[in-house]
Amino acid sequence: MLILDGKAVAQKMKSIIAVRALEFAKQVGRKPGLGVIIVGEDPASHVYVKNKEMACQAVHFHSIRLQLPSSTTKEELLQAIQKMNQNELVDAFLVQMPLPPHLSSEIILDAIDPLKDADGLHPINMGYLWVNRQRVAPCTPWGVIKILDHYQIPIKGQSCVVVGRSQIVGRPMAHLLTMADGTVTLCHSRTPNLREKTRQADIIVVAAGQRHLLGSDDFKKGATIIDVGIHGSGQGKGVTGDVRFSELEGHVAAATPVPGGVGPMTIACLLENTLILAQHNKNIIIN
Ligand code: NDP
């Protein structure tokens, strides 16, 4: 079984981004800047934000963190977003999810300037994605496309199943696979006989958020498995996915591990989105 090493592919992407960031700094007089707004004390979110900041440092970006208490009101958060929208040093930013339950992620996403939307989740950017004219794409599904591309796993003409229909992963994933000429079935918690569908597919992307939901019996021999799920502390140790990875050897052709598969690709795509928006907003081209 071929291990689809997201960490290595992400490292390769980051090396290219780092060179471009230095060129950006030369032309603009400052590093590209990625902002993060984090609300509350969710430990996993803090680990994710720290990882993003370390990734910024490694590619010569500067990072700007706005940390707010979990008691933050909608108005206070919208003000913080406006600060990021107006901050000249911030080329792109994101609001770390999940938010405390009293804050609606939809209202928050809508307030982000689409030209500073590092995650590619603003409705305007999702609309561009849907008509295949995207400047930036949601990081996780875009990272999946990149990893398949890196390992030259063909999508064209393949039967693809996506498990999960969330706005940030499943739905854009199904769209990107469709645009890459895959024949896609999008499954969710109301799909009857999920396993019948996954067993027929050549490529299965699992993003259900259910630890160890699927194993080797659920896939046909020779399939490619992409496990988006992350369960655990978010710190690498004891982290597992939606797929029972240890069962796959000798049965499927290729699979992403957790950790070290889709997770690092998501961060690399976030950096890439930031650089794309930075260049666009400063009207410069770096090859
Ligand atoms: P959501 O909870 O928003 O969506 C989960 C989706 O899976 C829903 O559409 C749900 O169906 C479907 N689902 C749940 N249970 C089943 C089931 N038993 N059978 C079929 N479908 C099911 O999750 P996200 O999309 O945000 O994230 C999914 C997973 O990916 C999580 O583990 C998350 O931590 C991880 N993740 C990893 C990232 C990375 O960088 N690797 C980035 C983002 C997320 P329904 O719509 O009917 O409820």
Side-chain angles (χ1 to χ4, degrees), residues 18 25 94 133 177 193:
L94 60 99
R133 285 167 45 200
L177 290 167
N193 306 321

Side-chain angles (χ1 to χ4, degrees), residues 234-278:
Q235 284 173 319
K237 230 179 165 192
V239 171
T240 55
D242 285 0
V243 174
R244 301 189 295 278
F245 185 80
S246 61
E247 295 178 7
L248 303 180
E249 181 63 56
H251 184 67
V252 305
T256 56
V258 180
V262 177
M265 293 301 294
T266 299
I267 294 193
C269 290
L270 177 72
L271 298 170
E272 189 178 76
N273 278 353
T274 302
L275 193 59
I276 289 169
L277 293 171

Side-chain angles (χ1 to χ4, degrees), residues 214-229:
L214 300 174
S216 60
D217 283 356
D218 305 313
F219 307 122
K220 76 175 178 190
K221 208 164 165 52
T224 294
I225 316 301
I226 306 287
D227 189 355
V228 176

Side-chain angles (χ1 to χ4, degrees), residues 18-194:
V19 172
R20 292 184 178 164
L22 289 176
E23 183 55 34
F24 177 92
K26 217 194 269 175
Q27 292 194 33
V28 176
R30 63 160 178 81
K31 294 174 177 180
L34 173 65
V36 178
I37 300 177
I38 178 162
V39 187
E41 298 306 327
D42 177 51
S45 294
H46 279 264
V47 172
Y48 293 142
V49 168
K50 186 101 198 86
N51 288 346
K52 285 168 189 167
E53 288 170 347
M54 277 161 45
C56 280
Q57 213 175 3
V59 298
H60 314 297
F61 284 16
H62 76 117
S63 52
I64 302 102
R65 185 199 292 210
L66 254 177
Q67 198 158 332
L68 302 170
S70 48
S71 59
T72 300
T73 62
K74 183 181 89 184
E75 288 68 30
E76 286 165 340
L77 181 50
L78 289 173
Q79 271 171 21
I81 290 172
Q82 283 318 316
K83 258 194 206 165
M84 286 285 192
N85 282 340
Q86 285 156 12
N87 188 337
E88 277 291 312
L89 301 177
V90 174
D91 295 294
F93 69 99
L94 60 99
V95 180
Q96 183 66 41
M97 299 291 162
L99 288 168
H102 66 283
L103 295 167
S104 141
S105 59
E106 275 177 19
I107 295 172
I108 299 315
L109 280 180
D110 287 0
I112 295 174
D113 178 348
L115 289 174
K116 286 195 171 190
D117 174 22
D119 271 335
L121 295 174
H122 188 284
I124 286 183
N125 288 324
M126 289 296 243
Y128 277 125
L129 182 72
W130 246 247
V131 291
N132 218 23
R133 285 167 45 200
Q134 70 273 19
R135 189 167 289 130
V136 288
C139 303
T140 302
W142 189 235
V144 171
I145 296 290
K146 289 223 170 210
I147 206 168
L148 290 170
D149 185 52
H150 176 88
Y151 284 99
Q152 299 181 342
I153 294 171
I155 301 171
K156 187 174 179 174
Q158 300 295 291
S159 158
C160 309
V161 163
V162 178
V163 185
R165 58 175 163 178
S166 75
Q167 211 159 300
I168 65 167
V169 187
R171 269 183 277 166
M173 185 75 256
H175 174 74
L176 288 167
L177 290 167
T178 304
M179 295 322 294
D181 294 331
T183 301
V184 183
T185 304
L186 179 55
C187 302
H188 45 78
S189 69
R190 311 296 165 92
T191 301
N193 306 321
L194 174 70

